[in-house]
Amino acid sequence: MHQRTDRAVREKPFAAPLLDAVPRQPGPGRPAAPGPAAPPPPPARRARRARRWLRLLPTPAGTPFTFGYLLVLVATSLFMEFADPATVAAVLRESSTDVAHLGETPLLVLAASALWVVGGLTSPVVFVLALVLTALERRIGGRRTAAVFVLGHVVATLATEIPVGISVVVGHLPESSLHRLDYGISFGLMASVGALTGLFTPLVRTLVLGGLGVMLAIDLVDLSSPLTDWGHPLALLFGIACWPLLRRAGAVREAVTRGAAARGEVIRGAVPSRRAPRRTRPPARAQGPR
């Protein structure tokens, strides 16, 4: 009778259905079985979420235009709060974009009127401005954001003040209408909001524009400040008219960001799109030496 050796016993296949269901443990020369990637630990997720929320705040490197402009508004608001009231009133009068000042020093008053916040730093407009300009600058860059804000401010101001001058000339309004106090950042803010909605998803864009439309319609019905109430929708429409240019600029900026990321470079202030480009075919494997 031939007795089997220990080697023969080890080489004989052994069927064990229950053991087959247990994953094989990695060992020397035996790779681990592939499985789903483990989710990052809660502290890592919280840190990543915190960094995402912090990107809503302006920074000197990421959003230089927004950060610098907010510093200017802080300085002028502190001046309004602590300076002599007579001096503040005189400076505001010289910064007003009324018809008289626009006829004498148009460039000066158009620039100076955008340096003051109605209500100072306690106004919620400052908080909204910081969020809107930061989001817009991170998507399209500082120069384009500044262009939207400044042009929206200028276009809405001229579109509301020029009819006043014409009405005074033809006799529909008294001459005192040429001298009125008009300053603030609301026209530029409305233009920036209108431009930013073009970068939203259709649902969010509809909700934001719908809410703004209702608010502006109520103001037009009340008409407590006619020039301001008409200037806000005009500035919003100007921002909406910038959608094609800003979308193209945002797409170019995202492409540059993806290319820089592929090369291992970092572009400050750039926010790449979450939508990854689709691949029509799998990437080719690197060929080794034959």
Side-chain angles (χ1 to χ4, degrees):
M1 181 177 182
H2 179 68
Q3 184 177 0
R4 297 180 181 177
T5 63
D6 183 62
R7 178 180 180 184
V9 172
R10 289 199 303 267
E11 292 179 350
K12 182 178 180 180
F14 180 73
L18 295 178
L19 294 180
D20 292 340
V22 179
R24 303 178 66 181
Q25 301 297 321
R30 182 183 302 170
R45 287 199 300 267
R46 286 195 296 267
R48 186 170 54 188
R49 190 179 300 112
R51 287 194 300 267
R52 188 179 304 169
W53 281 105
L54 287 176
R55 293 190 68 84
L56 297 177
L57 301 178
T59 59
T63 56
F65 166 72
T66 303
F67 189 84
Y69 185 52
L70 289 176
L71 287 181
V72 173
L73 294 180
V74 169
T76 56
S77 298
L78 292 176
F79 174 79
M80 293 176 62
E81 183 71 21
F82 298 105
D84 179 63
T87 304
V88 172
V91 173
L92 292 180
R93 282 196 303 269
E94 294 300 323
S95 303
S96 176
T97 52
D98 52 27
V99 178
H101 284 100
L102 286 174
E104 297 173 358
T105 54
L107 296 180
L108 177 61
V109 294
L110 284 171
S113 62
L115 303 180
W116 308 95
V117 181
V118 178
L121 293 178
T122 58
S123 174
V125 176
V126 179
F127 178 74
V128 176
L129 178 74
L131 292 180
V132 171
L133 290 187
T134 299
L136 191 60
E137 186 170 0
R138 290 194 184 276
R139 291 299 302 272
I140 65 174
R143 288 180 297 179
R144 295 183 180 91
T145 302
V148 171
F149 183 89
V150 173
L151 291 178
H153 171 74
V154 171
V155 169
T157 299
L158 296 179
T160 52
E161 293 292 346
I162 290 178
V164 172
I166 296 176
S167 299
V168 172
V169 171
V170 299
H172 291 305
L173 290 176
E175 189 175 352
S176 59
S177 301
L178 300 177
H179 306 274
R180 51 183 300 274
L181 197 60
D182 186 13
Y183 65 91
I185 61 174
S186 60
F187 289 169
L189 174 59
M190 275 295 174
S192 301
V193 171
L196 183 62
T197 54
L199 305 175
F200 291 162
T201 59
L203 176 60
V204 177
R205 184 188 311 134
T206 302
L207 293 176
V208 173
L209 290 180
L212 285 175
V214 172
M215 181 185 68
L216 296 178
I218 294 175
D219 291 341
L220 288 175
V221 171
D222 296 338
L223 213 61
S224 58
S225 179
L227 296 187
T228 302
D229 295 338
W230 279 108
H232 286 162
L234 292 176
L236 182 66
L237 291 176
F238 173 82
I240 293 175
C242 296
W243 283 0
L245 297 177
L246 299 183
R247 285 173 179 173
R248 191 178 303 117
V252 172
R253 188 173 177 85
E254 289 173 3
V256 173
T257 304
R258 287 195 297 266
R263 296 190 300 269
E265 302 174 0
V266 178
I267 298 179
R268 294 182 177 181
V271 180
S273 175
R274 295 183 180 179
R275 299 179 181 179
R278 297 180 180 179
R279 293 179 176 177
T280 56
R281 61 180 64 180
R285 295 182 180 179
Q287 297 291 338
R290 296 181 180 180

